Amino acid sequence: MFEVRKSIKRFRDDPAWTHRKRARDYLDTFDRRGYPFSLGPDGIALRDLLQGSFRGQEVSLFHLLAWQRTGKANVAWTYSVAVLPLPRALPATALTSRRLASSRMERIRALNRATGRAKDLPHLGTHLVRYCADDPDFAELISTYAMERLMHSARLGWRIEGNRMIGWTHGRETYEDLLSLAETLAVIIDSFPEQAWHWPE
């Protein structure tokens, strides 16, 4: 916890980054019915939004409190989130490392099924990653074993929401670790085949 506070201070004191303790307006731009936001069915809150330039484009880093009632108490699960822009909007797709899986998550959808035909794809990929997609053919196009290994090692989940990629992991990581998470997301984006950027031609 102390390391995280020191990390926030280092980024907050760096003029290359902007910091907001709470950013409700930014939080409201996300679809609440997709991971990791849907993992807080009883409320969510954003903490310590940091935004700056990363590899020539804006990256957003923050911690997410996801509330869920268990018995008589409300429990806040914490997630660390990185958001990167994409060159264009792509089909809604979610990949979740099985190292993040829990019985609680199994009951909550990875994508908002009210706005599309998203479905789980248990026969795609390996045991390392769970797939959910609006367009199974697109999910298959971007699926590689190398990407799954990378996600598994990083204990990472991500999903595409329009023209941005949202990556997340359990816990309250330092912002240096969140920047490493963003780097992993950038590697995944760079590994998409050229055909992905012209989908569905």
PDB file of all heavy atoms in Angstrom, residues 148-173:
ATOM      1  N   GLU A 148      -1.680 -15.520 -25.824  1.00  0.00           N
ATOM      2  CA  GLU A 148      -2.213 -16.183 -24.633  1.00  0.00           C
ATOM      3  C   GLU A 148      -1.135 -16.361 -23.569  1.00  0.00           C
ATOM      4  O   GLU A 148      -1.376 -16.152 -22.379  1.00  0.00           O
ATOM      5  CB  GLU A 148      -2.818 -17.528 -25.009  1.00  0.00           C
ATOM      6  CG  GLU A 148      -4.089 -17.425 -25.838  1.00  0.00           C
ATOM      7  CD  GLU A 148      -4.746 -18.783 -26.038  1.00  0.00           C
ATOM      8  OE1 GLU A 148      -4.254 -19.765 -25.462  1.00  0.00           O
ATOM      9  OE2 GLU A 148      -5.751 -18.844 -26.768  1.00  0.00           O
ATOM     10  N   ARG A 149       0.065 -16.760 -23.984  1.00  0.00           N
ATOM     11  CA  ARG A 149       1.170 -16.925 -23.040  1.00  0.00           C
ATOM     12  C   ARG A 149       1.514 -15.595 -22.381  1.00  0.00           C
ATOM     13  O   ARG A 149       1.764 -15.531 -21.178  1.00  0.00           O
ATOM     14  CB  ARG A 149       2.404 -17.482 -23.756  1.00  0.00           C
ATOM     15  CG  ARG A 149       2.310 -18.932 -24.188  1.00  0.00           C
ATOM     16  CD  ARG A 149       2.170 -19.902 -23.033  1.00  0.00           C
ATOM     17  NE  ARG A 149       3.179 -19.706 -21.990  1.00  0.00           N
ATOM     18  CZ  ARG A 149       3.173 -20.359 -20.831  1.00  0.00           C
ATOM     19  NH1 ARG A 149       2.233 -21.244 -20.565  1.00  0.00           N
ATOM     20  NH2 ARG A 149       4.110 -20.147 -19.942  1.00  0.00           N
ATOM     21  N   LEU A 150       1.528 -14.537 -23.187  1.00  0.00           N
ATOM     22  CA  LEU A 150       1.832 -13.205 -22.667  1.00  0.00           C
ATOM     23  C   LEU A 150       0.790 -12.788 -21.635  1.00  0.00           C
ATOM     24  O   LEU A 150       1.126 -12.293 -20.551  1.00  0.00           O
ATOM     25  CB  LEU A 150       1.871 -12.209 -23.826  1.00  0.00           C
ATOM     26  CG  LEU A 150       2.319 -10.785 -23.524  1.00  0.00           C
ATOM     27  CD1 LEU A 150       3.751 -10.768 -23.007  1.00  0.00           C
ATOM     28  CD2 LEU A 150       2.200  -9.924 -24.771  1.00  0.00           C
ATOM     29  N   MET A 151      -0.487 -12.997 -21.955  1.00  0.00           N
ATOM     30  CA  MET A 151      -1.553 -12.662 -21.015  1.00  0.00           C
ATOM     31  C   MET A 151      -1.475 -13.487 -19.746  1.00  0.00           C
ATOM     32  O   MET A 151      -1.678 -12.986 -18.643  1.00  0.00           O
ATOM     33  CB  MET A 151      -2.916 -12.886 -21.677  1.00  0.00           C
ATOM     34  CG  MET A 151      -3.284 -11.887 -22.740  1.00  0.00           C
ATOM     35  SD  MET A 151      -4.912 -12.270 -23.437  1.00  0.00           S
ATOM     36  CE  MET A 151      -5.956 -12.170 -21.969  1.00  0.00           C
ATOM     37  N   HIS A 152      -1.174 -14.775 -19.900  1.00  0.00           N
ATOM     38  CA  HIS A 152      -1.081 -15.674 -18.759  1.00  0.00           C
ATOM     39  C   HIS A 152       0.042 -15.231 -17.821  1.00  0.00           C
ATOM     40  O   HIS A 152      -0.148 -15.157 -16.601  1.00  0.00           O
ATOM     41  CB  HIS A 152      -0.837 -17.096 -19.252  1.00  0.00           C
ATOM     42  CG  HIS A 152      -0.813 -18.130 -18.169  1.00  0.00           C
ATOM     43  ND1 HIS A 152      -1.950 -18.522 -17.489  1.00  0.00           N
ATOM     44  CD2 HIS A 152       0.211 -18.849 -17.636  1.00  0.00           C
ATOM     45  CE1 HIS A 152      -1.632 -19.437 -16.584  1.00  0.00           C
ATOM     46  NE2 HIS A 152      -0.330 -19.648 -16.656  1.00  0.00           N
ATOM     47  N   SER A 153       1.191 -14.894 -18.401  1.00  0.00           N
ATOM     48  CA  SER A 153       2.334 -14.467 -17.587  1.00  0.00           C
ATOM     49  C   SER A 153       2.039 -13.154 -16.871  1.00  0.00           C
ATOM     50  O   SER A 153       2.440 -12.956 -15.727  1.00  0.00           O
ATOM     51  CB  SER A 153       3.575 -14.306 -18.469  1.00  0.00           C
ATOM     52  OG  SER A 153       3.945 -15.531 -19.050  1.00  0.00           O
ATOM     53  N   ALA A 154       1.319 -12.259 -17.554  1.00  0.00           N
ATOM     54  CA  ALA A 154       1.015 -10.943 -16.981  1.00  0.00           C
ATOM     55  C   ALA A 154      -0.215 -10.961 -16.078  1.00  0.00           C
ATOM     56  O   ALA A 154      -0.529  -9.946 -15.461  1.00  0.00           O
ATOM     57  CB  ALA A 154       0.809  -9.930 -18.103  1.00  0.00           C
ATOM     58  N   ARG A 155      -0.919 -12.099 -16.016  1.00  0.00           N
ATOM     59  CA  ARG A 155      -2.168 -12.194 -15.237  1.00  0.00           C
ATOM     60  C   ARG A 155      -3.106 -11.064 -15.653  1.00  0.00           C
ATOM     61  O   ARG A 155      -3.575 -10.268 -14.854  1.00  0.00           O
ATOM     62  CB  ARG A 155      -1.873 -12.137 -13.743  1.00  0.00           C
ATOM     63  CG  ARG A 155      -2.989 -12.677 -12.854  1.00  0.00           C
ATOM     64  CD  ARG A 155      -2.557 -12.748 -11.417  1.00  0.00           C
ATOM     65  NE  ARG A 155      -2.149 -11.454 -10.913  1.00  0.00           N
ATOM     66  CZ  ARG A 155      -2.741 -10.796  -9.919  1.00  0.00           C
ATOM     67  NH1 ARG A 155      -3.780 -11.321  -9.307  1.00  0.00           N
ATOM     68  NH2 ARG A 155      -2.297  -9.633  -9.508  1.00  0.00           N
ATOM     69  N   LEU A 156      -3.380 -11.035 -16.946  1.00  0.00           N
ATOM     70  CA  LEU A 156      -4.036  -9.903 -17.580  1.00  0.00           C
ATOM     71  C   LEU A 156      -5.349 -10.303 -18.244  1.00  0.00           C
ATOM     72  O   LEU A 156      -5.451 -11.367 -18.844  1.00  0.00           O
ATOM     73  CB  LEU A 156      -3.079  -9.337 -18.649  1.00  0.00           C
ATOM     74  CG  LEU A 156      -3.610  -8.351 -19.687  1.00  0.00           C
ATOM     75  CD1 LEU A 156      -3.975  -7.032 -19.020  1.00  0.00           C
ATOM     76  CD2 LEU A 156      -2.564  -8.129 -20.770  1.00  0.00           C
ATOM     77  N   GLY A 157      -6.334  -9.430 -18.131  1.00  0.00           N
ATOM     78  CA  GLY A 157      -7.545  -9.526 -18.922  1.00  0.00           C
ATOM     79  C   GLY A 157      -7.670  -8.258 -19.744  1.00  0.00           C
ATOM     80  O   GLY A 157      -7.176  -7.200 -19.337  1.00  0.00           O
ATOM     81  N   TRP A 158      -8.300  -8.348 -20.907  1.00  0.00           N
ATOM     82  CA  TRP A 158      -8.538  -7.130 -21.683  1.00  0.00           C
ATOM     83  C   TRP A 158      -9.785  -7.310 -22.534  1.00  0.00           C
ATOM     84  O   TRP A 158     -10.220  -8.416 -22.791  1.00  0.00           O
ATOM     85  CB  TRP A 158      -7.344  -6.749 -22.555  1.00  0.00           C
ATOM     86  CG  TRP A 158      -6.887  -7.753 -23.576  1.00  0.00           C
ATOM     87  CD1 TRP A 158      -5.880  -8.655 -23.432  1.00  0.00           C
ATOM     88  CD2 TRP A 158      -7.411  -7.954 -24.896  1.00  0.00           C
ATOM     89  NE1 TRP A 158      -5.740  -9.405 -24.577  1.00  0.00           N
ATOM     90  CE2 TRP A 158      -6.659  -9.001 -25.497  1.00  0.00           C
ATOM     91  CE3 TRP A 158      -8.433  -7.364 -25.644  1.00  0.00           C
ATOM     92  CZ2 TRP A 158      -6.905  -9.459 -26.788  1.00  0.00           C
ATOM     93  CZ3 TRP A 158      -8.692  -7.811 -26.934  1.00  0.00           C
ATOM     94  CH2 TRP A 158      -7.916  -8.847 -27.494  1.00  0.00           C
ATOM     95  N   ARG A 159     -10.337  -6.175 -22.923  1.00  0.00           N
ATOM     96  CA  ARG A 159     -11.464  -6.206 -23.848  1.00  0.00           C
ATOM     97  C   ARG A 159     -11.436  -4.966 -24.718  1.00  0.00           C
ATOM     98  O   ARG A 159     -10.885  -3.921 -24.334  1.00  0.00           O
ATOM     99  CB  ARG A 159     -12.796  -6.338 -23.123  1.00  0.00           C
ATOM    100  CG  ARG A 159     -13.266  -5.124 -22.380  1.00  0.00           C
ATOM    101  CD  ARG A 159     -14.634  -5.382 -21.725  1.00  0.00           C
ATOM    102  NE  ARG A 159     -15.025  -4.290 -20.867  1.00  0.00           N
ATOM    103  CZ  ARG A 159     -15.754  -3.255 -21.287  1.00  0.00           C
ATOM    104  NH1 ARG A 159     -16.168  -3.184 -22.530  1.00  0.00           N
ATOM    105  NH2 ARG A 159     -16.082  -2.288 -20.439  1.00  0.00           N
ATOM    106  N   ILE A 160     -12.018  -5.123 -25.897  1.00  0.00           N
ATOM    107  CA  ILE A 160     -12.141  -4.017 -26.846  1.00  0.00           C
ATOM    108  C   ILE A 160     -13.516  -3.398 -26.668  1.00  0.00           C
ATOM    109  O   ILE A 160     -14.533  -4.088 -26.689  1.00  0.00           O
ATOM    110  CB  ILE A 160     -11.970  -4.526 -28.293  1.00  0.00           C
ATOM    111  CG1 ILE A 160     -10.533  -5.028 -28.505  1.00  0.00           C
ATOM    112  CG2 ILE A 160     -12.304  -3.418 -29.287  1.00  0.00           C
ATOM    113  CD1 ILE A 160     -10.343  -5.774 -29.811  1.00  0.00           C
ATOM    114  N   GLU A 161     -13.531  -2.096 -26.468  1.00  0.00           N
ATOM    115  CA  GLU A 161     -14.776  -1.334 -26.380  1.00  0.00           C
ATOM    116  C   GLU A 161     -14.682  -0.199 -27.391  1.00  0.00           C
ATOM    117  O   GLU A 161     -14.040   0.829 -27.140  1.00  0.00           O
ATOM    118  CB  GLU A 161     -14.993  -0.786 -24.977  1.00  0.00           C
ATOM    119  CG  GLU A 161     -16.318  -0.057 -24.803  1.00  0.00           C
ATOM    120  CD  GLU A 161     -16.513   0.469 -23.397  1.00  0.00           C
ATOM    121  OE1 GLU A 161     -16.676  -0.354 -22.475  1.00  0.00           O
ATOM    122  OE2 GLU A 161     -16.495   1.704 -23.230  1.00  0.00           O
ATOM    123  N   GLY A 162     -15.263  -0.407 -28.550  1.00  0.00           N
ATOM    124  CA  GLY A 162     -15.189   0.609 -29.598  1.00  0.00           C
ATOM    125  C   GLY A 162     -13.759   0.772 -30.088  1.00  0.00           C
ATOM    126  O   GLY A 162     -13.134  -0.168 -30.571  1.00  0.00           O
ATOM    127  N   ASN A 163     -13.220   1.985 -29.928  1.00  0.00           N
ATOM    128  CA  ASN A 163     -11.863   2.258 -30.407  1.00  0.00           C
ATOM    129  C   ASN A 163     -10.860   2.374 -29.265  1.00  0.00           C
ATOM    130  O   ASN A 163      -9.911   3.155 -29.323  1.00  0.00           O
ATOM    131  CB  ASN A 163     -11.847   3.538 -31.248  1.00  0.00           C
ATOM    132  CG  ASN A 163     -12.229   4.763 -30.437  1.00  0.00           C
ATOM    133  OD1 ASN A 163     -12.728   4.650 -29.307  1.00  0.00           O
ATOM    134  ND2 ASN A 163     -12.003   5.936 -31.003  1.00  0.00           N
ATOM    135  N   ARG A 164     -11.076   1.578 -28.223  1.00  0.00           N
ATOM    136  CA  ARG A 164     -10.088   1.538 -27.141  1.00  0.00           C
ATOM    137  C   ARG A 164      -9.990   0.133 -26.569  1.00  0.00           C
ATOM    138  O   ARG A 164     -10.937  -0.653 -26.641  1.00  0.00           O
ATOM    139  CB  ARG A 164     -10.404   2.553 -26.049  1.00  0.00           C
ATOM    140  CG  ARG A 164     -11.770   2.410 -25.404  1.00  0.00           C
ATOM    141  CD  ARG A 164     -12.025   3.561 -24.446  1.00  0.00           C
ATOM    142  NE  ARG A 164     -13.383   3.570 -23.952  1.00  0.00           N
ATOM    143  CZ  ARG A 164     -13.874   4.499 -23.142  1.00  0.00           C
ATOM    144  NH1 ARG A 164     -13.118   5.499 -22.736  1.00  0.00           N
ATOM    145  NH2 ARG A 164     -15.124   4.438 -22.729  1.00  0.00           N
ATOM    146  N   MET A 165      -8.828  -0.156 -26.016  1.00  0.00           N
ATOM    147  CA  MET A 165      -8.609  -1.428 -25.349  1.00  0.00           C
ATOM    148  C   MET A 165      -8.467  -1.170 -23.856  1.00  0.00           C
ATOM    149  O   MET A 165      -7.711  -0.292 -23.431  1.00  0.00           O
ATOM    150  CB  MET A 165      -7.358  -2.132 -25.873  1.00  0.00           C
ATOM    151  CG  MET A 165      -7.090  -3.466 -25.175  1.00  0.00           C
ATOM    152  SD  MET A 165      -5.578  -4.279 -25.738  1.00  0.00           S
ATOM    153  CE  MET A 165      -6.181  -5.077 -27.227  1.00  0.00           C
ATOM    154  N   ILE A 166      -9.207  -1.941 -23.074  1.00  0.00           N
ATOM    155  CA  ILE A 166      -9.210  -1.818 -21.617  1.00  0.00           C
ATOM    156  C   ILE A 166      -8.518  -3.051 -21.047  1.00  0.00           C
ATOM    157  O   ILE A 166      -9.010  -4.171 -21.204  1.00  0.00           O
ATOM    158  CB  ILE A 166     -10.654  -1.736 -21.075  1.00  0.00           C
ATOM    159  CG1 ILE A 166     -11.406  -0.568 -21.724  1.00  0.00           C
ATOM    160  CG2 ILE A 166     -10.654  -1.619 -19.558  1.00  0.00           C
ATOM    161  CD1 ILE A 166     -12.921  -0.675 -21.619  1.00  0.00           C
ATOM    162  N   GLY A 167      -7.374  -2.862 -20.413  1.00  0.00           N
ATOM    163  CA  GLY A 167      -6.659  -3.968 -19.787  1.00  0.00           C
ATOM    164  C   GLY A 167      -6.756  -3.869 -18.278  1.00  0.00           C
ATOM    165  O   GLY A 167      -6.804  -2.766 -17.722  1.00  0.00           O
ATOM    166  N   TRP A 168      -6.782  -5.001 -17.602  1.00  0.00           N
ATOM    167  CA  TRP A 168      -6.966  -4.974 -16.148  1.00  0.00           C
ATOM    168  C   TRP A 168      -6.361  -6.205 -15.487  1.00  0.00           C
ATOM    169  O   TRP A 168      -6.142  -7.232 -16.123  1.00  0.00           O
ATOM    170  CB  TRP A 168      -8.457  -4.877 -15.812  1.00  0.00           C
ATOM    171  CG  TRP A 168      -9.268  -6.016 -16.364  1.00  0.00           C
ATOM    172  CD1 TRP A 168      -9.721  -6.155 -17.638  1.00  0.00           C
ATOM    173  CD2 TRP A 168      -9.679  -7.189 -15.653  1.00  0.00           C
ATOM    174  NE1 TRP A 168     -10.408  -7.337 -17.769  1.00  0.00           N
ATOM    175  CE2 TRP A 168     -10.393  -7.999 -16.571  1.00  0.00           C
ATOM    176  CE3 TRP A 168      -9.519  -7.626 -14.345  1.00  0.00           C
ATOM    177  CZ2 TRP A 168     -10.945  -9.219 -16.212  1.00  0.00           C
ATOM    178  CZ3 TRP A 168     -10.065  -8.848 -13.985  1.00  0.00           C
ATOM    179  CH2 TRP A 168     -10.773  -9.629 -14.908  1.00  0.00           C
ATOM    180  N   THR A 169      -6.090  -6.059 -14.202  1.00  0.00           N
ATOM    181  CA  THR A 169      -5.612  -7.169 -13.401  1.00  0.00           C
ATOM    182  C   THR A 169      -6.105  -6.978 -11.972  1.00  0.00           C
ATOM    183  O   THR A 169      -6.565  -5.890 -11.600  1.00  0.00           O
ATOM    184  CB  THR A 169      -4.071  -7.272 -13.442  1.00  0.00           C
ATOM    185  OG1 THR A 169      -3.665  -8.498 -12.827  1.00  0.00           O
ATOM    186  CG2 THR A 169      -3.397  -6.108 -12.726  1.00  0.00           C
ATOM    187  N   HIS A 170      -6.028  -8.035 -11.173  1.00  0.00           N
ATOM    188  CA  HIS A 170      -6.451  -7.966  -9.766  1.00  0.00           C
ATOM    189  C   HIS A 170      -5.517  -7.077  -8.966  1.00  0.00           C
ATOM    190  O   HIS A 170      -4.324  -6.988  -9.245  1.00  0.00           O
ATOM    191  CB  HIS A 170      -6.402  -9.362  -9.132  1.00  0.00           C
ATOM    192  CG  HIS A 170      -7.612 -10.199  -9.406  1.00  0.00           C
ATOM    193  ND1 HIS A 170      -8.893  -9.751  -9.252  1.00  0.00           N
ATOM    194  CD2 HIS A 170      -7.716 -11.491  -9.804  1.00  0.00           C
ATOM    195  CE1 HIS A 170      -9.744 -10.722  -9.551  1.00  0.00           C
ATOM    196  NE2 HIS A 170      -9.050 -11.783  -9.904  1.00  0.00           N
ATOM    197  N   GLY A 171      -6.067  -6.447  -7.930  1.00  0.00           N
ATOM    198  CA  GLY A 171      -5.236  -5.777  -6.939  1.00  0.00           C
ATOM    199  C   GLY A 171      -4.923  -4.333  -7.269  1.00  0.00           C
ATOM    200  O   GLY A 171      -5.258  -3.814  -8.329  1.00  0.00           O
ATOM    201  N   ARG A 172      -4.243  -3.690  -6.328  1.00  0.00           N
ATOM    202  CA  ARG A 172      -3.872  -2.276  -6.441  1.00  0.00           C
ATOM    203  C   ARG A 172      -2.382  -2.202  -6.732  1.00  0.00           C
ATOM    204  O   ARG A 172      -1.551  -2.194  -5.825  1.00  0.00           O
ATOM    205  CB  ARG A 172      -4.225  -1.557  -5.139  1.00  0.00           C
ATOM    206  CG  ARG A 172      -4.211  -0.042  -5.229  1.00  0.00           C
ATOM    207  CD  ARG A 172      -4.930   0.565  -4.036  1.00  0.00           C
ATOM    208  NE  ARG A 172      -4.934   2.016  -4.105  1.00  0.00           N
ATOM    209  CZ  ARG A 172      -4.258   2.795  -3.274  1.00  0.00           C
ATOM    210  NH1 ARG A 172      -3.512   2.265  -2.316  1.00  0.00           N
ATOM    211  NH2 ARG A 172      -4.310   4.102  -3.409  1.00  0.00           N
ATOM    212  N   GLU A 173      -2.055  -2.180  -8.025  1.00  0.00           N
ATOM    213  CA  GLU A 173      -0.661  -2.199  -8.450  1.00  0.00           C
ATOM    214  C   GLU A 173      -0.071  -0.793  -8.410  1.00  0.00           C
ATOM    215  O   GLU A 173      -0.786   0.210  -8.459  1.00  0.00           O
ATOM    216  CB  GLU A 173      -0.559  -2.752  -9.875  1.00  0.00           C
ATOM    217  CG  GLU A 173      -1.141  -4.145 -10.059  1.00  0.00           C
ATOM    218  CD  GLU A 173      -0.268  -5.233  -9.464  1.00  0.00           C
ATOM    219  OE1 GLU A 173       0.901  -4.945  -9.094  1.00  0.00           O
ATOM    220  OE2 GLU A 173      -0.743  -6.378  -9.347  1.00  0.00           O
TER     221      GLU A 173
END
